[in-house]
Amino acid sequence: MRFNGSASPEQLVILHQIFNDRCRDAGIQPGDPAHENLAYRIMSLFESGIQTADELVAALDRHEFQPRFKAA
C-alpha cells in the first residue's frame, strides 16, 4: 500500500504498537530525546512505503535503530 499523505486507523494502530514495543524494549521513556527520534524514524520508514508491521520491524532491525539517548 502506498503512502498517500495520511494513515488509516489500522495503520495508526500498527505504528503505535511498534513504537510502544520499541520504547519498552529499549527503556525509552516519554521526555527522553530518543522517544522523539524513534517516532521520527518509524514515520520516515512508513512514509517511504514500508508499511506493514513485519516490514517496519525488519527495517528498524536492519537499520539497527539505536536511540542516541537511553532513559536512566
Side-chain angles (χ1 to χ4, degrees):
M1 181 184 315
R2 268 191 70 77
F3 179 66
N4 65 2
S6 63
S8 71
E10 295 82 12
Q11 290 169 318
L12 289 174
V13 168
I14 290 168
L15 294 168
H16 190 253
Q17 186 63 51
I18 292 168
F19 177 73
N20 284 341
D21 290 349
R22 288 289 166 137
C23 285
R24 183 190 63 243
D25 293 348
I28 301 170
Q29 298 296 316
D32 184 330
H35 199 252
E36 187 174 333
N37 291 341
L38 176 58
Y40 178 80
R41 182 72 186 132
I42 291 170
M43 287 308 300
S44 293
L45 291 168
F46 176 77
E47 290 172 355
S48 76
I50 301 171
Q51 297 183 351
T52 69
D54 290 340
E55 290 172 339
L56 286 164
V57 168
L60 287 169
D61 289 343
R62 193 169 43 253
H63 292 109
E64 296 180 13
F65 175 81
Q66 297 296 322
R68 287 189 217 163
F69 307 98
K70 286 187 89 168

